[in-house]
Protein backbone atom coordinates (compact mmCIF):
# COMPACT_ATOMS: atom_id res chain seq x y z
CA UNK A 1 0.00 0.00 0.00
CA UNK A 2 2.68 2.52 1.04
CA UNK A 3 5.07 1.79 -1.85
CA UNK A 4 2.35 1.92 -4.50
CA UNK A 5 1.00 5.09 -2.89
CA UNK A 6 4.39 6.81 -3.02
CA UNK A 7 4.88 5.75 -6.63
CA UNK A 8 1.47 7.19 -7.51
CA UNK A 9 2.46 10.44 -5.75
CA UNK A 10 5.53 10.60 -7.98
CA UNK A 11 3.35 10.00 -11.02
CA UNK A 12 1.01 12.81 -9.98
CA UNK A 13 3.92 15.25 -10.12
CA UNK A 14 5.05 14.12 -13.58
CA UNK A 15 1.49 14.06 -14.93
CA UNK A 16 0.80 17.55 -13.61
CA UNK A 17 3.97 18.96 -15.16
CA UNK A 18 2.85 17.60 -18.52
CA UNK A 19 -0.71 18.86 -18.17
CA UNK A 20 0.41 22.38 -17.26
CA UNK A 21 1.28 22.78 -20.95
CA UNK A 22 -2.46 23.17 -21.45
CA UNK A 23 -2.16 26.64 -19.89
CA UNK A 24 0.07 27.90 -22.69
CA UNK A 25 -1.38 30.11 -25.48
CA UNK A 26 -3.84 28.04 -27.52
CA UNK A 27 -1.79 27.37 -30.66
CA UNK A 28 1.39 26.67 -28.74
CA UNK A 29 -0.42 24.51 -26.20
CA UNK A 30 -2.01 22.38 -28.91
CA UNK A 31 1.23 21.57 -30.72
CA UNK A 32 3.36 21.15 -27.61
CA UNK A 33 0.83 19.05 -25.68
CA UNK A 34 0.23 16.78 -28.67
CA UNK A 35 3.98 16.40 -29.21
CA UNK A 36 4.39 15.55 -25.52
CA UNK A 37 1.59 12.95 -25.74
CA UNK A 38 3.13 11.46 -28.89
CA UNK A 39 6.51 11.17 -27.16
CA UNK A 40 4.95 9.38 -24.18
CA UNK A 41 3.06 6.91 -26.36
CA UNK A 42 6.09 6.05 -28.50
CA UNK A 43 8.85 5.79 -25.90
CA UNK A 44 9.57 2.22 -24.77
CA UNK A 45 10.80 3.32 -21.35
CA UNK A 46 7.61 5.32 -20.79
CA UNK A 47 5.57 2.30 -21.86
CA UNK A 48 7.27 0.18 -19.20
CA UNK A 49 6.61 2.86 -16.59
CA UNK A 50 2.97 3.02 -17.70
CA UNK A 51 2.58 -0.72 -17.07
CA UNK A 52 4.01 -0.20 -13.59
CA UNK A 53 1.50 2.63 -13.14
CA UNK A 54 -1.48 0.46 -14.13
CA UNK A 55 -0.28 -2.30 -11.83
CA UNK A 56 0.23 0.19 -8.98
CA UNK A 57 -3.31 1.54 -9.34
CA UNK A 58 -4.79 -1.96 -9.24
CA UNK A 59 -2.58 -3.14 -6.36
CA UNK A 60 -3.23 0.03 -4.37
CA UNK A 61 -6.99 -0.42 -4.86
CA UNK A 62 -7.00 -4.12 -4.01
CA UNK A 63 -4.81 -3.55 -0.96
CA UNK A 64 -7.08 -0.75 0.24
CA UNK A 65 -10.17 -2.95 -0.06
CA UNK A 66 -8.42 -5.79 1.77
CA UNK A 67 -7.20 -3.61 4.63
CA UNK A 68 -10.55 -1.86 4.97
CA UNK A 69 -12.42 -5.17 5.11
CA UNK A 70 -9.92 -6.60 7.59
CA UNK A 71 -10.23 -3.53 9.85
CA UNK A 72 -14.02 -3.69 9.89
CA UNK A 73 -14.01 -7.40 10.76
CA UNK A 74 -11.49 -6.86 13.53
CA UNK A 75 -13.36 -3.89 15.00
CA UNK A 76 -16.85 -5.32 14.83
CA UNK A 77 -19.75 -3.23 16.09
CA UNK A 78 -17.57 -0.80 18.05
CA UNK A 79 -15.99 0.39 14.81
CA UNK A 80 -18.97 2.55 13.97
CA UNK A 81 -19.83 3.51 17.53
CA UNK A 82 -16.54 4.82 18.83
CA UNK A 83 -15.49 8.44 19.03
CA UNK A 84 -12.40 8.43 16.87
CA UNK A 85 -13.34 11.83 15.47
CA UNK A 86 -11.91 13.35 18.66
CA UNK A 87 -8.46 12.03 17.83
CA UNK A 88 -8.38 12.00 14.02
CA UNK A 89 -9.39 14.12 11.05
CA UNK A 90 -12.53 13.21 9.15
CA UNK A 91 -10.59 12.56 5.94
CA UNK A 92 -8.33 10.06 7.70
CA UNK A 93 -11.45 8.08 8.57
CA UNK A 94 -12.84 8.30 5.05
CA UNK A 95 -9.84 7.15 3.06
CA UNK A 96 -11.79 4.30 1.47
CA UNK A 97 -14.59 6.61 0.32
CA UNK A 98 -12.14 9.20 -1.02
CA UNK A 99 -10.17 6.49 -2.78
CA UNK A 100 -13.33 5.08 -4.32
CA UNK A 101 -14.24 8.50 -5.75
CA UNK A 102 -10.76 8.87 -7.23
CA UNK A 103 -10.79 5.35 -8.69
CA UNK A 104 -14.23 5.86 -10.24
CA UNK A 105 -13.01 9.06 -11.84
CA UNK A 106 -9.89 7.31 -13.14
CA UNK A 107 -12.12 4.82 -14.96
CA UNK A 108 -14.02 7.71 -16.57
CA UNK A 109 -10.79 9.56 -17.29
CA UNK A 110 -9.23 6.54 -19.00
CA UNK A 111 -12.40 6.00 -21.02
CA UNK A 112 -12.58 9.61 -22.21
CA UNK A 113 -8.90 10.25 -22.98
CA UNK A 114 -6.62 7.22 -22.74
CA UNK A 115 -8.80 4.78 -24.69
CA UNK A 116 -9.68 7.15 -27.59
CA UNK A 117 -6.03 8.18 -27.89
CA UNK A 118 -4.71 4.61 -27.84
CA UNK A 119 -7.42 2.78 -29.79
CA UNK A 120 -9.78 5.37 -31.22
CA UNK A 121 -9.65 7.41 -34.38
CA UNK A 122 -9.04 11.07 -33.55
CA UNK A 123 -7.92 13.94 -35.75
CA UNK A 124 -4.31 15.04 -36.03
CA UNK A 125 -2.74 18.50 -35.73
CA UNK A 126 -0.66 20.24 -38.40
CA UNK A 127 2.41 18.26 -37.31
CA UNK A 128 0.62 14.94 -37.78
CA UNK A 129 0.33 14.12 -34.07
CA UNK A 130 -2.95 12.91 -32.60
CA UNK A 131 -4.88 15.93 -31.37
CA UNK A 132 -5.37 14.97 -27.72
CA UNK A 133 -5.34 18.68 -26.86
CA UNK A 134 -8.64 19.31 -28.67
CA UNK A 135 -10.16 16.24 -27.03
CA UNK A 136 -9.26 17.59 -23.59
CA UNK A 137 -10.45 21.13 -24.38
CA UNK A 138 -13.83 19.94 -25.66
CA UNK A 139 -14.35 17.92 -22.47
CA UNK A 140 -13.40 20.80 -20.17
CA UNK A 141 -15.75 23.17 -21.96
CA UNK A 142 -18.61 21.17 -20.44
CA UNK A 143 -19.52 22.48 -16.97
CA UNK A 144 -20.67 19.09 -15.69
CA UNK A 145 -17.31 17.55 -16.57
CA UNK A 146 -15.40 20.36 -14.88
CA UNK A 147 -17.48 19.83 -11.73
CA UNK A 148 -16.93 16.06 -11.88
CA UNK A 149 -13.19 16.63 -12.29
CA UNK A 150 -13.14 19.13 -9.40
CA UNK A 151 -14.91 16.71 -7.05
CA UNK A 152 -12.45 13.96 -7.92
CA UNK A 153 -9.42 16.23 -7.44
CA UNK A 154 -10.70 17.50 -4.09
CA UNK A 155 -11.19 13.88 -3.02
CA UNK A 156 -7.63 13.17 -4.17
CA UNK A 157 -6.35 16.16 -2.20
CA UNK A 158 -7.92 15.00 1.05
CA UNK A 159 -6.75 11.45 0.32
CA UNK A 160 -3.19 12.79 0.02
CA UNK A 161 -3.43 14.78 3.25
CA UNK A 162 -3.54 11.55 5.22
CA UNK A 163 -1.98 9.14 2.74
CA UNK A 164 1.32 10.95 2.17
CA UNK A 165 2.31 10.95 5.84
CA UNK A 166 0.95 7.45 6.43
CA UNK A 167 2.97 6.06 3.51
CA UNK A 168 6.25 7.34 4.94
CA UNK A 169 5.35 5.98 8.34
CA UNK A 170 4.39 2.58 6.92
CA UNK A 171 7.74 2.08 5.20
CA UNK A 172 9.55 2.83 8.44
CA UNK A 173 10.70 6.36 7.64
CA UNK A 174 9.36 7.71 10.90
CA UNK A 175 10.99 9.56 13.75
CA UNK A 176 9.35 11.91 16.28
CA UNK A 177 11.85 14.61 15.39
CA UNK A 178 10.82 14.61 11.73
CA UNK A 179 7.08 14.10 12.19
CA UNK A 180 6.16 17.77 11.86
CA UNK A 181 8.45 18.19 8.85
CA UNK A 182 6.93 15.21 7.01
CA UNK A 183 3.40 16.36 7.86
CA UNK A 184 4.17 19.86 6.62
CA UNK A 185 5.62 18.51 3.38
CA UNK A 186 2.57 16.26 3.03
CA UNK A 187 0.16 19.16 3.46
CA UNK A 188 2.13 21.26 1.00
CA UNK A 189 2.19 18.41 -1.51
CA UNK A 190 -1.57 17.81 -1.19
CA UNK A 191 -2.38 21.51 -1.59
CA UNK A 192 0.00 21.91 -4.53
CA UNK A 193 -1.38 18.88 -6.37
CA UNK A 194 -4.98 19.91 -5.71
CA UNK A 195 -4.48 23.50 -6.86
CA UNK A 196 -2.33 22.47 -9.82
CA UNK A 197 -4.84 19.99 -11.18
CA UNK A 198 -7.88 22.21 -10.48
CA UNK A 199 -6.56 25.28 -12.26
CA UNK A 200 -6.38 23.48 -15.61
CA UNK A 201 -10.08 22.63 -16.21
CA UNK A 202 -11.28 25.97 -14.82
CA UNK A 203 -8.80 27.87 -17.00
CA UNK A 204 -9.96 26.00 -20.11
CA UNK A 205 -13.64 26.40 -19.23
CA UNK A 206 -13.37 30.13 -18.58
CA UNK A 207 -10.78 31.17 -21.16
CA UNK A 208 -11.14 28.89 -24.20
Amino acid sequence: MALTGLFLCFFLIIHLLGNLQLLLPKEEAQLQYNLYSHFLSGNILIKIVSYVLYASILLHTIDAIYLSTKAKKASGETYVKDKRNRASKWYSRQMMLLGTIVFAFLVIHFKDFWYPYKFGSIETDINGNKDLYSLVVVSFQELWYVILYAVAILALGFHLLHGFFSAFRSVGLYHPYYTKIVKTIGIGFAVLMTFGYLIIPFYIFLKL
Side-chain angles (χ1 to χ4, degrees):
M1 170 68 79
L3 292 178
T4 54
L6 290 174
F7 176 79
L8 292 174
C9 284
F10 173 74
F11 169 76
L12 285 173
I13 298 173
I14 302 302
H15 190 57
L16 177 59
L17 292 175
N19 283 358
L20 287 176
Q21 297 174 97
L22 294 167
L23 303 180
L24 295 170
K26 185 176 180 179
E27 291 75 14
E28 183 181 355
Q30 181 181 27
L31 297 179
Q32 189 161 317
Y33 187 71
N34 290 340
L35 179 62
Y36 164 77
S37 302
H38 177 73
F39 169 75
L40 293 183
S41 64
N43 187 291
I44 185 62
L45 179 60
I46 300 300
K47 284 186 178 181
I48 295 174
V49 173
S50 68
Y51 295 141
V52 177
L53 170 64
Y54 307 147
S56 295
I57 293 173
L58 290 176
L59 289 174
H60 195 75
T61 303
I62 293 171
D63 202 13
I65 294 172
Y66 169 74
L67 292 176
S68 179
T69 302
K70 184 178 180 180
K72 288 183 179 180
K73 287 183 179 180
S75 301
E77 294 294 327
T78 59
Y79 186 79
V80 294
K81 293 182 179 180
D82 63 14
K83 298 180 179 180
R84 289 172 300 124
N85 59 315
R86 295 180 179 179
S88 60
K89 302 292 185 179
W90 69 268
Y91 50 80
S92 68
R93 304 190 305 275
Q94 301 297 332
M95 289 293 283
M96 187 63 187
L97 173 61
L98 295 170
T100 300
I101 295 173
V102 174
F103 182 80
F105 177 75
L106 278 176
V107 174
I108 298 173
H109 202 60
F110 271 64
K111 177 185 73 68
D112 290 343
F113 301 119
W114 178 83
Y115 186 85
Y117 186 84
K118 288 289 187 180
F119 306 106
S121 178
I122 63 176
E123 296 183 358
T124 58
D125 61 21
I126 60 175
N127 290 333
N129 295 318
K130 290 186 177 181
D131 195 6
L132 181 61
Y133 171 84
S134 295
L135 191 63
V136 173
V137 168
V138 169
S139 297
F140 285 149
Q141 287 176 337
E142 297 288 340
L143 179 59
W144 71 268
Y145 199 89
V146 172
I147 294 174
L148 175 66
Y149 188 93
V151 170
I153 295 302
L154 288 173
L156 173 64
F158 283 113
H159 194 76
L160 290 173
L161 276 177
H162 177 73
F164 186 89
F165 174 73
S166 295
F168 275 91
R169 187 167 186 171
S170 296
V171 297
L173 300 176
Y174 174 77
H175 189 282
Y177 180 78
Y178 301 110
T179 298
K180 289 185 178 181
I181 296 176
V182 175
K183 283 187 175 181
T184 300
I185 293 175
I187 293 172
F189 177 75
V191 171
L192 184 62
M193 290 297 102
T194 301
F195 178 77
Y197 277 100
L198 281 180
I199 195 174
I200 296 171
F202 282 103
Y203 172 83
I204 292 175
F205 180 76
L206 296 173
K207 296 292 185 179
L208 300 183

